[in-house]
Amino acid sequence: MRFRAKIVDLACLNHFSRVTGTIARLARSCALRLTAGKLFFILADRAAGGGAGLWCELCQGNYFDEFQMEGVAAEHNEIYLEVVPENLSRALKTAQNAKAFKIKLTNKHCPCLRVAVELTSLSNSSRIVTHDIPVAVIPRRLWNDFREPSVPDFDVSIYLPALKTMKSVVERMKNLSNSIVIEANLSGEMNLKIETAVVCVTTHFKDLGNPPWGKLDGCPSSSQVRDPESMAEARIDIKKLQQLLAGQQVNPTKALCNIVSKRIVHFVLLHEDVSLQYFIPALA
Amino acid sequence: RVLAEAVLHFAAGQAEVTLGAGTGDRIGLRSHVDDVAEPSKAMVTELWLGRDEFQAVAVAPGSRVTFCLKEFRALLSFAEASNLSLTIHYDTPGRPLVVTAEDTVLEVHLVLATLSDLESSSRPSQTNHVSHLAAPSDDDLESYMIALEAGADEGGSGVPPSPTFPLRTPRSAPSDPEEEEEEEEAAVPGTPPHKKFRSLFFGSVLTPGGAGPAPSQEVLAEDSDGEN
């Protein structure tokens, strides 16, 4: 099992830094899956009641100048590691102006991702900072726990409003309530509602547009007979929603959510070279 | 400034850091992992500074001490803002590390305890070796305070690598960490050892009663409140 990779392009490095920063906000600990062409950050916490699920996929070619991976076995050419994304994000934070960023899987006393950042120091000499990030190798028998979650049989799918707007609304609502109701219909309308003993606040969004899932194979049949005005809703933990929105520093190319009434909300955020799916289960 | 930039790489919460002289004239900084916590879970950061990045270096190769990063960071930001050069004096693990800086209007001595080996907590070890973590640093503070009372010789300025503090055998029962803190923080008038310790951190050349900190026989820095 071997892994080593290198980034020299500053833009790619910053981009990767932003992705790990987002992941760090969403999960304390998650699985990092490495394949020949991709990296995945996976959180499969859904079994533990109330846990959110995360699936983030990056094409390594878009970030790394060098990428060598040899999996656990020839037929299973993949590596699954359990990692604390905050550590990776921290190592990247101080690498803003690095000349090179190298990452390698090592196993000295315990398995580690050794990150070496080459910087130019004040005196113009090259400084190398190394970070040893402890990881745990996830054995093959557990790989099934980390399969890509299938798109749920949703009732409504709708594009999200401008994330910045949504973020500021949710942030203010967070001060008033622990849970928030998201509802949306197939006419491009979405409401965010909170309700406390003292006050109810609703923010209405219109003309958002609904993604044309109908054109894809295997579209949920329920969407064809659904009344376009009828709202599908789910009450979710507001903190999880706020964490998702707070982590977005760059506007995604596409941002949408699928709501399964009273069960789960599935957020999909697509950037050019990274896709992020976040599942927030509905509260009882 | 070099140091200020270097410590940026360590996590904001990083408690302790090890400074050491490595091979090839390099000085290294490495985050120290507390044995008590899960050692396999902590991220370790390490970086090396070249000899030429310092104005002067005189260290024993392989020497290493571990001290608290938080206080050091505080002094670094002060020194950086005031454009002061810092001199670091250290000895074997367990003996204090002193950072000094000098300006036309002030002299700064920051004394930090360093972690020592459990076995050698009762006497200073003569060989330089890697410090294991186990002994809490309050043992060192205590020995240091006793040394002060006994009239330790500073002898540090201008004589690299470090000031020497002759140590007496410390008291047999190490004091409670909490107690230790209270002693440091409480202003206990008229109790000489505590007062002296409190005044270690900053000495002013304007202190009445004479000479600044450097050539004093008894204390590193005089009490700025002034016995006289």
Side-chain angles (χ1 to χ4, degrees):
Chain A
M1 208 172 27
R2 259 175 31 108
F3 169 58
R4 73 169 55 212
K6 181 162 139 179
I7 306 180
V8 284
D9 181 83
L10 216 50
C12 293
L13 188 58
N14 286 328
H15 204 159
F16 190 60
S17 179
R18 276 198 296 266
V19 172
T20 51
T22 306
I23 304 290
R25 276 185 218 248
L26 295 174
R28 293 213 69 212
S29 166
C30 70
L32 171 62
R33 172 183 171 200
L34 303 163
T35 67
K38 293 194 178 177
L39 285 92
F40 301 81
F41 289 97
I42 307 168
L43 183 63
D45 220 359
R46 286 154 51 209
L54 168 72
W55 179 273
C56 178
E57 195 173 311
L58 302 91
C59 240
Q60 62 90 350
N62 290 325
Y63 296 87
F64 294 91
D65 295 277
E66 282 169 31
F67 191 91
Q68 293 158 21
M69 199 276 310
E70 266 168 42
V72 290
E75 329 78 64
H76 302 278
N77 197 19
E78 301 186 358
I79 302 178
Y80 282 69
L81 300 169
E82 188 181 315
V83 69
V84 173
E86 172 65 29
N87 287 338
L88 192 52
S89 170
R90 248 195 283 142
L92 281 160
K93 260 194 214 137
T94 51
Q96 297 293 348
N97 293 316
K99 289 204 297 213
F101 174 87
K102 296 189 200 155
I103 185 167
K104 186 166 96 163
L105 183 60
T106 63
N107 192 351
K108 292 222 181 122
H109 311 287
C110 59
C112 268
L113 277 176
R114 167 161 282 221
V115 172
V117 182
E118 195 181 314
L119 303 153
T120 334
S121 71
L122 279 176
S123 47
N124 273 330
S125 55
S126 172
R127 153 122 60 253
I128 300 191
V129 185
T130 59
H131 304 269
D132 283 328
I133 303 173
V135 295
V137 179
I138 301 177
R140 198 145 36 101
R141 59 192 156 83
L142 296 177
W143 286 10
N144 267 334
D145 293 347
F146 300 98
R147 272 172 313 181
E148 177 166 6
S150 47
V151 179
D153 210 6
F154 51 81
D155 299 308
V156 166
S157 175
I158 188 167
Y159 287 117
L160 293 175
L163 288 192
K164 224 166 102 172
T165 313
M166 201 171 165
K167 178 167 84 159
S168 55
V169 167
V170 172
E171 245 160 47
R172 277 153 187 73
M173 287 182 165
K174 187 168 83 103
N175 296 328
L176 298 168
S177 167
N178 287 330
S179 67
I180 186 174
V181 173
I182 294 192
E183 58 175 24
N185 63 20
L186 289 168
S187 307
E189 292 173 343
M190 172 191 278
N191 300 329
L192 297 173
K193 303 197 294 198
I194 55 164
E195 192 175 308
T196 70
V198 178
V199 67
C200 294
V201 183
T202 308
T203 306
H204 305 268
F205 296 95
K206 290 199 303 204
D207 297 326
L208 294 173
N210 300 85
W213 288 94
K215 306 224 171 79
L216 297 172
D217 290 338
C219 71
S221 55
S222 56
S223 65
Q224 289 170 340
V225 294
R226 192 184 172 82
D227 169 19
E229 299 289 321
S230 140
M231 291 276 184
E233 66 161 47
R235 174 188 301 276
I236 59 175
D237 181 347
I238 201 173
K239 249 210 306 214
K240 293 199 164 68
L241 178 59
Q242 189 261 336
Q243 278 163 352
L244 173 66
L245 296 170
Q248 297 307 306
Q249 288 147 322
V250 184
N251 267 330
T253 324
K254 267 202 171 63
L256 57 97
C257 79
N258 301 324
I259 306 178
V260 179
S261 217
K262 296 199 171 40
R263 294 272 304 285
I264 197 165
V265 184
H266 172 214
F267 292 91
V268 181
L269 301 169
L270 296 171
H271 294 82
E272 274 174 15
D273 36 24
V274 57
S275 76
L276 177 71
Q277 295 180 52
Y278 198 51
F279 298 79
I280 308 183
L283 298 170
Chain B
R1 264 183 308 136
V2 170
L3 282 172
E5 185 217 7
V7 298
L8 279 180
H9 292 284
F10 293 92
Q14 181 67 42
E16 277 139 0
V17 91
T18 306
L19 171 74
T23 54
D25 285 346
R26 296 189 303 165
I27 309 289
L29 277 173
R30 188 184 158 92
S31 60
H32 187 99
V33 178
D34 203 329
D35 269 346
V36 178
E38 260 285 357
S40 56
K41 293 273 192 256
M43 173 163 137
V44 172
T45 302
E46 182 175 305
L47 61 90
W48 295 90
L49 302 163
R51 193 186 188 110
D52 49 353
E53 299 189 73
F54 291 86
Q55 288 169 322
V57 175
V59 292
S63 57
R64 229 175 278 204
V65 287
T66 303
F67 58 91
C68 195
L69 185 57
K70 198 164 119 190
E71 280 80 18
F72 189 56
R73 264 203 237 259
L75 178 63
L76 273 183
S77 50
F78 173 72
E80 202 187 358
S82 325
N83 226 354
L84 294 169
S85 285
L86 294 179
T87 309
I88 303 177
H89 308 274
Y90 68 91
D91 199 352
T92 53
R95 287 167 84 174
L97 174 144
V98 184
V99 186
T100 59
E102 215 173 288
D103 195 347
T104 49
V105 297
L106 56 78
E107 273 188 48
V108 176
H109 294 245
L110 174 66
V111 182
L112 293 170
T114 64
L115 291 169
S116 67
D117 291 338
L118 192 49
E119 310 87 69
S120 57
S121 61
S122 56
R123 70 192 76 250
S125 78
Q126 294 305 315
T127 56
N128 293 327
H129 54 271
V130 179
S131 58
H132 309 302
L133 167 61
S137 46
D138 41 76
D139 271 356
D140 314 306
L141 282 178
E142 263 204 74
S143 335
Y144 186 64
M145 282 167 65
I146 295 165
L148 279 187
E149 285 177 71
D153 191 347
E154 195 231 335
S157 43
V159 181
S162 58
T164 47
F165 301 104
L167 281 185
R168 266 194 193 169
T169 330
R171 294 173 218 156
S172 47
S175 65
D176 232 347
E178 263 171 47
E179 208 184 319
E180 196 55 37
E181 271 172 56
E182 280 172 51
E183 285 173 359
E184 287 171 34
E185 289 166 357
V188 184
T191 311
H194 300 158
K195 225 170 172 195
K196 280 181 191 165
F197 187 76
R198 267 200 328 125
S199 67
L200 274 181
F201 288 89
F202 282 91
S204 166
V205 296
L206 303 174
T207 305
S216 157
Q217 285 277 328
E218 281 193 84
V219 295
L220 279 195
E222 277 192 18
D223 194 347
S224 55
D225 292 343
E227 282 143 345
N228 174 346

